[in-house]
Amino acid sequence: MKVLYYPGCSLKTVAESFERSAKLAMAALGVELVELERWNCCGTVSALTTDDLMHQLAPIRNLIRVQEAGEERLVTLCAMCYNTLKRADLWVAQHPEELAKINAFLDEEPDYRGKVRVLHLLELLRDELGFATVKERVVRPLTGLRVIPYYGCLLLRPREVGLDSAENPRILEDLIVALGAEPVDTPYKTQCCGSYHTTTHKEIVAKRAHAILSSAREHGGEVLISSCPLCSFNLDNRQRLVRELYDGFAPVPVLYFTELLGLALGLDPQAWISEQHYVDPRPLLEEHQLLKR
Amino acid sequence: METVRIYIMGKEYSVPAGLTVMKAMEYAGYKFIRGAGCRAGFCGACGTVYRKEDEYKLRFAVACQKLVEDGMYLVQLPFAPAPRASYDLEKIRPSDNVLLKFYPEIARCVACNTCTKSCPQEIQVMDYIQAALRGDIRRVAELSFDCIQCGLCSMRCPADIKHYHVAQLARRLYGKYLAPKAEHLAQRVAEIEQGKFNAELDRLTRMERKELTKLYEARQIEEGVGV
Ligand code: SF4
Ligand code: SF4
Ligand code: SF4
Ligand code: SF4
Ligand code: FES
């Protein structure tokens, strides 16, 4: 199966391991992720404001590219891209007059007809391939690995956009179980990581990261998985500051869910693991004998 | 003689059809002290903005290439106030964020595509800014290859991006660090430095003009290469 996907800026820069692992893992599952041609930034920062047509141009233009490719669905990896693109799509569906204005402004493009479905890769795994199939394809069950699923905000909220229950999601848990690992439940899994405060108020993010990660440790978690480059940055790279501010903090490695998937499918993590991780996940993977094929 | 009506900064003139905007302005009595260079569509000095009487859209061209049309309202934009960042190419590297570092305003792009619509070279300007944003220096260099630095894009961008300077930095970085090195060039430079062609050059500099002309006319010409 070939699926058109939208990478987003972060995956091309600070989150390379996310994209590489996703592509390899999905290839191992028989799914070829084909990158959308001529995509632009999903427009996340500006698209968060309302009643601001100019800032809907970026997401809508990407959806027009999907139309041009003759496809009706687009898969994203980054939770924020998912949220931004899907929200813009829902917004124009509910605001036909605004869509007409946007289409009139984008006179160099064909009109957006509102027929594109934006999916997150997790939805593709759950609803199209099915976790049962994923489980069958696991060649190296991650037995004994205690994994903290971290949702953050953007996979689940607002409700119309969310891919699972906003209160009690289980899609990541179900994936973790399918991969043979053990999900660790914590009360912080759907709480915010501090998001863009990371650029101006690093301490707020460090506080959030400390709360989320310490709770995860207390519940016996060894590694946290995320689906968002910003969450990952905040929970992983900000641990440097957390260590400075909070005595006795024990670091927790942070992986993209696709990295876990790749490991369970028996792929060699050297193909994607990058120096972009602040807390090196390799010792833990070594301990569980997951580094060698 | 067939004539067309054009408006130069609001004043009506009747000029011969078939002239370029630049020639038509000279015909009307304007003298170009600045705002003209190569007169061949390469230097980007002669940016022109115009609107047709019956159209709501602004259009963009280079004056030395665009032919006059009836009912054109014209103005020249010979210069774009878009300062170039200062950098030392020897000291910077083609990293993911180097373009963003020198031109942080590229992060303000809202993907409106206005820049692309104002480019007389028909470059995918927005696409190269988007490539710059994600650190793809090679793609910026490729997409912007035909940029003549007229600056029209930068006069239109709602995000105040200095597109052509961003692109120039990308092409410089690409040329210096990323493009495959031409081995034959390095070889030839070494040969020149070793003095392999000194004798030949000396012979040419001492040659009579007539003899030189004869030699030039008899030179080997590659097929299909025009002058
Ligand atoms: S959400 Fe982030 S990674 Fe995704 S396109 Fe937007 S800025 Fe880039
Ligand atoms: S990219 Fe901008 S500066 Fe370059 S030719 Fe096009 S409009 Fe002119
Ligand atoms: S005009 Fe400016 S904001 Fe609009 S697409 Fe071009 S670079 Fe982006
Ligand atoms: S589109 Fe034109 S009129 Fe409207 S806000 Fe922008 S610059 Fe002003
Ligand atoms: S004068 Fe050089 S491009 Fe027109």
Side-chain angles (χ1 to χ4, degrees):
Chain A
M1 173 170 45
K2 268 193 189 181
V3 185
L4 200 59
Y5 86 101
Y6 175 85
C9 317
S10 302
L11 269 61
K12 296 291 178 188
T13 51
V14 296
E16 289 169 8
S17 51
F18 195 7
E19 180 177 48
R20 285 205 290 267
S21 57
K23 277 178 145 170
L24 290 167
M26 293 310 289
L29 287 172
V31 178
E32 184 188 349
L33 293 177
V34 183
E35 180 169 340
L36 179 67
E37 284 278 330
R38 294 184 57 205
W39 57 271
N40 53 249
C41 168
C42 70
T44 180
V45 181
S46 38
L48 294 176
T49 55
T50 56
D51 190 23
D52 188 351
L53 296 191
M54 191 66 140
H55 291 142
Q56 299 293 340
L57 299 180
I60 297 303
R61 199 186 291 282
N62 283 315
L63 300 179
I64 292 174
R65 294 276 175 271
V66 180
Q67 252 177 224
E68 274 179 344
E71 293 280 344
E72 297 214 323
R73 64 175 178 186
L74 178 70
V75 169
T76 71
L77 311 188
C78 163
M80 202 179 277
C81 300
Y82 165 74
N83 198 288
T84 304
L85 295 172
K86 187 161 175 188
R87 196 130 50 101
D89 189 41
L90 289 174
W91 190 80
V92 295
Q94 289 155 6
H95 298 84
E97 279 181 27
E98 315 291 6
L99 177 59
K101 278 191 209 165
I102 290 171
N103 278 332
F105 181 82
L106 296 176
D107 59 355
E108 77 280 23
E109 309 277 9
D111 280 0
Y112 179 52
R113 297 189 299 270
K115 290 272 184 298
V116 173
R117 234 168 15 109
V118 178
L119 292 177
H120 191 270
L121 185 63
L122 282 168
E123 288 178 293
L124 189 82
L125 288 167
R126 177 189 65 189
D127 305 333
E128 304 211 13
L129 274 132
F131 287 147
T133 313
V134 174
K135 186 174 176 184
E136 279 166 27
R137 307 292 292 275
V138 166
V139 300
R140 182 167 53 191
L142 309 176
T143 319
L145 188 67
R146 293 187 304 278
V147 183
I148 310 122
Y150 179 72
Y151 292 88
C153 317
L154 295 162
L155 285 178
L156 305 175
R157 290 182 282 254
R159 210 178 284 274
E160 322 78 80
V161 172
L163 50 70
D164 202 346
S165 151
E167 296 298 331
N168 195 16
R170 41 174 304 166
I171 187 166
L172 282 174
E173 280 85 343
D174 289 348
L175 176 67
I176 292 167
V177 169
L179 302 182
E182 191 186 315
V184 176
D185 197 21
T186 83
Y188 286 93
K189 67 181 176 187
T190 62
Q191 292 206 8
C192 180
C193 67
S195 185
Y196 280 112
H197 279 305
T198 205
T199 56
T200 48
H201 299 91
K202 297 187 179 59
E203 332 66 53
I204 294 184
V205 170
K207 193 172 170 188
R208 300 302 308 144
H210 178 249
I212 294 165
L213 296 166
S214 312
S215 152
R217 268 272 185 255
E218 279 162 26
H219 287 78
E222 297 172 292
V223 56
L224 180 141
I225 57 168
S226 126
S227 66
C228 170
L230 184 56
C231 301
S232 290
F233 180 87
N234 285 349
L235 295 179
D236 183 8
N237 301 61
R238 283 280 170 258
Q239 287 189 47
R240 183 194 301 272
L241 185 59
V242 176
R243 288 167 106 171
E244 280 169 29
L245 298 178
Y246 300 89
D247 280 344
F249 171 77
V252 179
V254 175
L255 292 176
Y256 293 111
F257 70 93
T258 46
E259 296 184 85
L260 218 57
L261 178 60
L263 284 169
L265 294 172
L267 304 178
D268 178 5
Q270 301 308 333
W272 69 75
I273 283 214
S274 74
E275 299 310 315
Q276 292 169 344
H277 288 295
Y278 168 67
V279 180
D280 190 348
R282 280 169 288 204
L284 176 72
L285 300 179
E286 187 76 74
E287 196 185 303
H288 285 269
Q289 280 146 27
L290 294 170
L291 267 190
K292 300 244 166 43
R293 299 203 62 158
Chain B
M1 179 177 65
E2 196 196 327
T3 60
V4 296
R5 279 168 313 120
I6 60 170
Y7 301 85
I8 301 172
M9 288 180 277
K11 187 164 165 18
E12 183 177 344
Y13 296 89
S14 173
V15 300
L19 293 185
T20 62
V21 167
M22 186 172 275
K23 288 263 170 59
M25 287 182 67
E26 287 172 328
Y27 179 90
Y30 287 84
K31 186 173 167 194
F32 284 89
I33 296 169
R34 297 223 37 198
C38 65
R39 291 178 179 259
F42 287 116
C43 75
C46 62
T48 298
V49 181
Y50 67 95
R51 227 180 210 122
K52 302 285 292 293
E53 261 168 349
D54 49 357
E55 283 184 355
Y56 74 95
K57 287 226 151 235
L58 264 189
R59 294 185 183 277
F60 305 84
V62 280
C64 67
Q65 298 300 299
K66 180 74 193 165
L67 299 186
V68 284
E69 290 167 21
D70 201 43
M72 245 182 181
Y73 282 85
L74 291 164
V75 73
Q76 300 303 108
L77 266 189
F79 177 74
R84 185 177 69 76
S86 112
Y87 46 80
D88 180 347
L89 208 57
E90 298 294 334
K91 294 202 182 115
I92 57 179
R93 291 289 173 269
S95 59
D96 283 348
N97 63 355
V98 62
L99 299 175
L100 198 57
K101 182 171 160 229
F102 286 105
Y103 296 104
E105 60 277 8
I106 59 177
R108 286 163 37 102
C109 173
V110 293
C112 68
N113 214 23
T114 307
C115 47
T116 305
K117 294 181 194 172
S118 24
C119 179
Q121 292 291 91
E122 295 179 3
I123 290 169
Q124 296 291 349
V125 188
M126 178 184 83
D127 286 9
Y128 83 57
I129 291 300
Q130 287 291 328
L133 191 54
R134 70 187 78 131
D136 192 343
I137 292 171
R138 177 186 306 270
R139 184 142 173 84
V140 182
E142 283 165 3
L143 284 176
S144 70
F145 186 77
D146 288 326
C147 173
I148 56 174
Q149 313 228 5
C150 67
L152 291 173
C153 50
S154 307
M155 296 301 281
R156 289 279 285 161
C157 173
D160 293 314
I161 289 165
K162 290 90 174 166
H163 313 68
Y164 59 109
H165 288 320
V166 178
Q168 185 186 57
L169 175 53
R171 289 194 305 275
R172 286 176 169 165
L173 286 164
Y174 179 71
K176 185 163 175 61
Y177 295 108
L178 303 172
K181 296 276 170 269
E183 281 167 31
H184 59 288
L185 179 68
Q187 218 170 43
R188 181 52 55 88
V189 170
E191 282 172 1
I192 292 171
E193 278 168 355
Q194 283 156 16
K196 183 169 174 191
F197 301 99
N198 286 359
E200 179 71 6
L201 269 172
D202 283 346
R203 193 172 75 86
L204 287 174
T205 27
R206 275 197 300 271
M207 222 175 242
E208 291 293 329
R209 189 190 174 94
K210 248 193 185 159
E211 219 182 325
L212 201 59
T213 314
K214 225 170 92 190
L215 191 68
Y216 177 74
E217 275 162 6
R219 79 194 184 281
Q220 217 184 335
I221 299 176
E222 252 180 86
E223 224 162 294
V225 176
V227 179

